[in-house]
């Protein structure tokens, strides 16, 4: 019996044919997303009719999508964040949702450091201006020796902290689980959010998007930050109130920001797009050849495991035990 697998991420298999070969060698019917971007709910419902497996990126995998697929046996997330997937609907049907933690950690951490430097030294604006024939010598601020707040000390937050040791920064850490051994290793300490907002020159977000973290950085928090603060968000757009951020940047409550993730992608807010003191990237945190290959392999293996009746790796939802 052939299974229908719907594969939506454009970059799946882009770095190497190996992830696609894993699926093809099983004789599955593979349906790709031809739009070249994550799918909205109705687009996914139309593409996925009759699917046995969804291998998805940041597409809208809503309750309606899950409910529209009576044969669905697994939702395999190509990546870490599962905030775009209706976990409850999947659990009710006994459908495992899997993800690929760890394999894109380094890629996102590298980008977070790159964005801190890019905003602080205005690298993006300086490049643009030099290529336009100007010779405007932009004045920046230093990352070296500054105070950095890391919100979320899971895999990516830790990788950022380790990279920052070379910059000899003071590290202020925040997480619901405090790991004093890790804090000691990186020479940092856990602090509460008001202290971090009041002291940090850079604030880097590495929390998952969930009810407890949605809108975490709003007007009150931005006003509590130092006028020199730079906010970097490589996690999820929903962590930051974008309207408040636009005001904060326009009215100079803070120095600058960088966003790799947005509340709605791609972002359309003209004011946000036009601000001089923000660097924007199109959700490329995980997009290195190395990470994309490993995300592809792991997400394909998780599909195969479930369809062959085996236990997949990294199931993120509760599956009720059969009574
Ligand atoms: N830009 C990208 O392309 C990209 C790529 C990968 C991951 N991400 C995002 O980065 C996030 C972090 O990834 P990770 O691999 O480090 O995940 P992780 O699960 O290893 O780390 C998340 C950390 O957040 C903490 N946390 C969760 N809820 C909290 C709360 N309410 N208060 C305080 N701490 C809380 C957890 O204890 C954990 O330490 C992902 O959820 C995803 O949204 C973005
Ligand atoms: O699916 C993507 O394109 C990015 C996934 C990334 O944000 C993640 O959560 O790992």
């Amino acid at each position: 019996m052939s299974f229908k697998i719907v594969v939506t991420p454009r970059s799946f298999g882009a770095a190497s044919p190996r992830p696609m070969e894993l699926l093809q060698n099983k004789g599955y019917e593979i349906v790709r997303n031809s739009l070249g971007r994550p799918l909205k709910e109705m687009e996914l419902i139309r593409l996925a009719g009759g699917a046995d497996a969804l291998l998805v990126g940041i597409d809208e995998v809503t309750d309606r999508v899950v409910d529209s697929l009576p044969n669905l046996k697994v939702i395999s997330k190509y990546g870490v964040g599962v905030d775009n997937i209706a976990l409850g609907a999947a659990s009710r049907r006994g459908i495992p949702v899997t993800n690929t933690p760890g394999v894109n950690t380094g890629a996102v951490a590298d980008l977070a450091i790159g964005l801190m430097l890019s905003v602080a030294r205005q690298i993006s604006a300086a490049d643009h201006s030099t290529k336009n024939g100007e010779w405007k010598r932009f004045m920046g601020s230093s990352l070296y020796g500054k105070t950095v707040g890391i919100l979320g000390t899971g895999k990516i937050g830790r990788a950022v902290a380790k990279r920052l040791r070379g910059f000899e920064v003071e590290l202020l850490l925040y997480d619901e689980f405090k790991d004093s051994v890790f804090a000691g290793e990186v020479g940092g300490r856990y602090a509460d959010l008001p202290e971090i907002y009041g002291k940090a020159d850079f604030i880097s977000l590495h929390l998952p998007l969930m009810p407890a973290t949605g809108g975490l950085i709003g007007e009150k928090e931005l006003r509590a930050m130092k006028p020199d603060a730079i906010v970097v968000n490589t996690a999820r757009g929903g962590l930051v109130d974008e309207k408040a951020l636009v005001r904060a940047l326009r009215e100079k409550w803070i120095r600058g920001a960088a966003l790799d993730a947005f509340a709605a992608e791609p972002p359309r807010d003209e004011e946000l797009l036009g601000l001089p003191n923000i660097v924007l990237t199109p959700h490329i945190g995980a997009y290195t050849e190395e990470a994309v290959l490993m995300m592809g392999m792991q997400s394909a293996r998780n599909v195969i495991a479930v369809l062959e009746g085996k236990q997949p790796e990294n199931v993120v939802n509760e599956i009720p035990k059969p009574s």
Side-chain angles (χ1 to χ4, degrees):
M1 175 188 168
S2 173
F3 292 116
K4 174 174 172 177
I5 322 296
V6 173
V7 177
T8 63
R10 184 165 66 164
S11 68
F12 179 88
S16 156
R18 285 169 53 209
M20 191 51 90
E21 285 167 3
L22 273 187
L23 298 175
Q24 284 165 338
N25 290 344
K26 296 289 175 184
Y28 299 147
E29 176 196 351
I30 298 164
V31 176
R32 295 292 308 254
N33 156 24
S34 60
L35 294 181
R37 57 163 173 76
L39 298 179
K40 303 277 177 213
E41 177 184 71
M42 287 314 295
E43 293 168 337
L44 188 52
I45 288 175
R46 276 197 291 275
L47 184 72
D52 297 279
L54 294 180
L55 191 157
V56 293
I58 46 179
D59 315 81
E60 291 178 3
V61 188
T62 60
D63 288 46
R64 283 173 76 188
V65 171
V66 175
D67 292 345
S68 75
L69 301 171
N71 301 334
L72 191 63
K73 297 165 186 64
V74 56
I75 302 172
S76 174
K77 166 77 192 211
Y78 171 84
V80 181
V82 288
D83 48 281
N84 59 311
I85 298 175
L87 300 179
S91 292
R92 281 193 290 283
R93 293 258 311 274
I95 297 168
V97 178
T98 60
N99 71 348
T100 65
V103 297
N104 63 26
T105 299
V108 184
D110 288 353
L111 184 72
I113 301 287
L115 291 175
M116 286 179 204
L117 289 168
S118 181
V119 179
R121 299 301 302 271
Q122 303 188 66
I123 294 173
S124 196
D127 168 67
H128 196 68
S129 142
T130 309
K131 287 174 179 165
N132 279 340
E134 297 168 358
W135 191 250
K136 189 174 161 199
R137 301 176 78 190
F138 287 79
M139 185 67 71
S141 63
S142 174
L143 171 57
Y144 177 82
K146 292 288 177 64
T147 299
V148 182
I150 297 191
L151 274 48
T153 56
K155 291 177 200 63
I156 299 171
R158 285 169 191 241
V160 170
K162 286 180 187 159
R163 282 157 175 71
L164 284 170
R165 291 188 69 184
F167 289 87
E168 298 187 25
V169 297
E170 181 183 354
L171 271 178
L172 299 178
L173 310 168
Y174 174 79
D175 198 287
E176 63 185 350
F177 298 110
K178 292 168 190 46
D179 179 346
S180 55
V181 174
F182 156 71
E185 277 167 13
V186 293
R189 69 177 170 86
Y190 281 91
D192 61 18
L193 290 172
E195 182 182 357
I196 295 178
Y197 297 145
K199 290 190 176 157
D201 302 294
F202 293 81
I203 294 178
S204 196
L205 306 184
H206 304 290
L207 294 163
L209 178 60
M210 45 177 53
T213 59
L216 183 75
I217 306 289
E219 174 169 347
K220 183 165 140 274
E221 292 72 25
L222 290 159
R223 284 191 185 278
M225 292 178 193
K226 290 164 69 170
D228 261 349
I230 290 172
V231 175
V232 174
N233 185 10
T234 55
R236 281 294 181 270
L239 298 176
V240 178
D241 175 346
E242 278 172 15
K243 292 259 173 276
L245 180 66
V246 166
R247 277 193 66 203
L249 293 170
R250 195 180 57 214
E251 297 171 15
K252 308 268 170 42
W253 309 345
I254 62 172
R255 179 187 276 262
L259 305 179
D260 183 52
F262 303 83
E265 298 182 354
R268 307 260 184 229
D269 181 339
E270 296 286 332
E271 218 186 335
L272 177 79
L273 300 177
L275 285 165
N277 47 351
I278 191 164
V279 173
L280 306 175
T281 51
H283 207 138
I284 55 166
Y287 279 32
T288 63
E289 290 168 9
E290 296 82 359
V292 155
L293 170 59
M294 290 187 286
M295 285 155 60
M297 296 300 279
Q298 185 57 59
S299 55
R301 281 194 203 108
N302 284 338
V303 166
I304 294 166
V306 174
L307 296 184
E308 293 188 344
K310 299 177 191 144
Q311 179 62 29
E313 285 182 37
N314 309 311
V315 176
V316 298
N317 60 334
E318 299 278 338
I319 304 290
K321 298 246 181 299
S323 47

